[in-house]
């Protein structure tokens, strides 16, 4: 019923093992009574029913209590999954938990009768900032999740980052992934895996954002390529990654002590290592090396470190940084400003280095 509209008699033929008409009638009555907002009756075709959204999960054992850390976990998840809302006191007002998953967690807390207990914890003890996150259009997440569960495809308009206008897409959604405060959909489209940012789904002429279709895109592989998505995420940088060996690069950065304090306890890519004791480094400077397929996003990350980091490999990154610095030098003039690298702290150029893996001299896989 989540996938399509059905008559009670149709449901009997679809059930395995077969069940009686009385059981079907009893189940339909329970669904209608328990989920009145999701159980729909076709007014023009009586006796045909549909259940909107994903079906409920029945609990095999009742939950008769909730530990304090379990409730705190739900509250934290609710905050992280809510739509960005910068109104002062949005969480305190209790109406700031919009968004499919945040609303679902909030509904679960209320159904459990723990809304007052939750109010004692959030937002005075636990609060989540969604600063800088872009909100996705309403219902896009819920519709894509339903499509993935039912194994259907979709058609939609997508506003690409570098496209002047939105373009139509036909895709088979595979997985929803939360990356850097936003949702992405990994899908099979145009003969390969693509990832779509949910915030860039747009409506054409006021129509629905997503059209659900049975026809799958051409050359959809079986089994579904979930292992390829795992490989993309394993070597990605933020939301940018690839499963192709040609996109792998070795990244080498010289970073100041100030930058190291922010970077040291994080994993930035595969085969990561820090070289702390290079004799020619200025005091406190270190060299960071890692492998990733996320060149495009790494460019802006390195640029954000400003004079606290110097790109050494790959060549594409070094040349891009030179171009950016040249443009900015024209904006600000050639005068020296405070912060970053001292004029006397010259970081020696990188000469030769032992290979991190089978990468070539510019970080490309051989």
């Amino acid at each position: 019923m989540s996938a399509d509209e059905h008559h009670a008699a149709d449901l009997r033929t679809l059930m395995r093992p077969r069940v009686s008409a009385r059981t079907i009638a009893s189940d339909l009555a329970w669904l209608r009574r328990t989920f009145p907002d999701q159980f729909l009756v076709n007014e023009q075709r009586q006796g045909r029913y549909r259940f909107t959204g994903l079906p409920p999960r029945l609990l095999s054992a009742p939950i008769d209590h909730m530990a304090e850390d379990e409730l705190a976990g739900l509250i934290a998840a609710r905050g992280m999954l809510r739509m960005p809302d910068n109104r002062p006191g949005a969480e305190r007002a209790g109406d700031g938990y919009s968004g499919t998953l945040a609303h679902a967690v909030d509904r679960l807390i209320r159904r459990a009768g723990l809304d007052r207990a939750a109010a004692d914890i959030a937002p005075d003890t636990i609060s989540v900032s969604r600063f800088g996150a872009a909100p996705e259009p309403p219902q896009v997440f819920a519709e894509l999740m339903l499509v993935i569960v039912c194994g259907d495809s979709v058609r939609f308009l997508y506003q690409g980052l570098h496209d002047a206008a939105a373009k139509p897409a036909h895709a088979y959604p595979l997985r929803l992934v939360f990356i850097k405060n936003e949702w992405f959909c990994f899908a099979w489209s145009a003969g390969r895996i693509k990832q779509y940012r949910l915030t860039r789904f747009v409506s054409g002429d006021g129509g629905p954002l997503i059209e659900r279709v049975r026809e799958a895109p051409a050359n959809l592989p079986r089994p579904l390529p979930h292992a390829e998505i795992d490989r993309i995420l394993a070597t990605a940088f933020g939301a940018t990654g690839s499963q192709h060996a040609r996109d792998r690069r070795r990244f080498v950065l010289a970073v100041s002590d100030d930058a190291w304090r922010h970077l040291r306890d994080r994993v930035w890519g595969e085969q990561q290592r820090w070289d702390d004791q290079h004799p020619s480094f200025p005091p406190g400077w270190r060299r960071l090396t890692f492998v990733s397929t996320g060149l495009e996003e790494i460019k802006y990350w390195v640029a954000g470190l400003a004079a606290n980091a110097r790109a050494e490999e790959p060549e594409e990154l070094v040349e891009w940084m030179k171009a950016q610095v040249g443009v900015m030098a024209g904006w600000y003039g050639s005068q020296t400003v405070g912060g970053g690298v001292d004029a006397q702290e010259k970081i020696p150029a990188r000469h030769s280095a032992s290979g991190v893996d089978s990468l070539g001299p510019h970080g490309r896989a051989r």
Side-chain angles (χ1 to χ4, degrees), residues 99-257:
T100 302
L101 294 186
H103 181 64
V105 176
D106 186 60
R107 191 170 64 246
L108 174 62
I109 291 172
R110 294 177 184 278
R111 280 206 299 125
L114 293 170
D115 45 317
R116 286 194 175 185
D120 291 337
I121 298 175
D124 290 336
T125 303
I126 295 177
S127 185
V128 178
S129 170
R130 296 296 314 279
F131 173 80
E136 64 262 16
Q139 297 303 313
V140 169
F141 180 93
E143 291 180 27
L144 286 173
M145 189 166 68
L146 178 61
V147 167
I148 291 173
V149 171
C150 295
D152 288 335
S153 299
V154 292
R155 294 186 184 275
F156 55 92
L157 285 175
Y158 188 76
Q159 180 62 62
L161 183 63
H162 302 293
D163 296 331
K167 295 181 179 179
H170 178 207
Y172 186 94
L174 295 163
R175 188 184 303 182
L176 291 161
V177 183
F178 197 58
I179 304 174
K180 294 174 65 176
N181 240 350
E182 293 185 42
W183 284 104
F184 292 78
C185 179
F186 284 74
W188 182 266
S189 181
R192 63 185 180 90
I193 293 175
K194 294 185 177 183
Q195 61 188 87
Y196 297 96
R197 192 187 299 257
L198 268 59
T199 56
R200 295 185 186 149
F201 281 66
V202 298
S203 175
D205 300 325
L209 286 165
I210 296 174
E211 178 190 0
R212 190 168 159 187
V213 296
R214 298 285 189 182
E215 179 188 1
N219 303 317
L220 176 66
R222 299 286 183 178
L224 296 174
H226 284 289
E228 293 184 32
I229 297 176
D230 292 338
R231 286 194 291 271
I232 292 172
L233 292 172
T235 62
F237 191 94
T240 306
S242 169
Q243 75 270 33
H244 299 299
R246 65 175 180 271
D247 295 322
R248 287 171 61 86
R249 305 283 196 284
R250 176 174 55 202
F251 293 88
V252 182
L253 308 175
V255 300
S256 72
D257 186 59

Side-chain angles (χ1 to χ4, degrees), residues 20 37 48-49 59 61 68 79 110 117 120 131 152 169 185 189 239 246 256 258 260 266 274 290 299 311 313 315 336:
S20 68
D37 295 334
R48 299 189 71 85
Y49 310 99
L59 303 181
E68 191 75 4
R110 294 177 184 278
D120 291 337
F131 173 80
D152 288 335
C185 179
S189 181
R246 65 175 180 271
S256 72
D258 285 344
W260 175 75
R266 307 168 192 262
W274 286 96
F290 63 91
K299 288 178 180 178
E313 293 185 28
E315 184 179 348
T336 302

Side-chain angles (χ1 to χ4, degrees), residues 282-338:
W285 279 73
R286 296 166 175 84
R287 184 165 275 140
L288 169 62
T289 303
F290 63 91
V291 175
S292 176
T293 59
L295 173 62
E296 290 305 311
E297 197 156 344
I298 289 173
K299 288 178 180 178
Y300 296 95
W301 173 68
V302 175
L305 295 172
N308 285 298
R310 192 188 76 177
E312 298 183 338
E313 293 185 28
E315 184 179 348
E316 300 101 311
L317 175 60
V318 174
E319 294 302 317
W320 185 86
M321 286 297 301
K322 287 180 181 178
Q324 299 302 307
V325 171
V327 171
M328 288 187 286
W331 290 346
Y332 300 113
S334 60
Q335 68 271 22
T336 302
V337 297

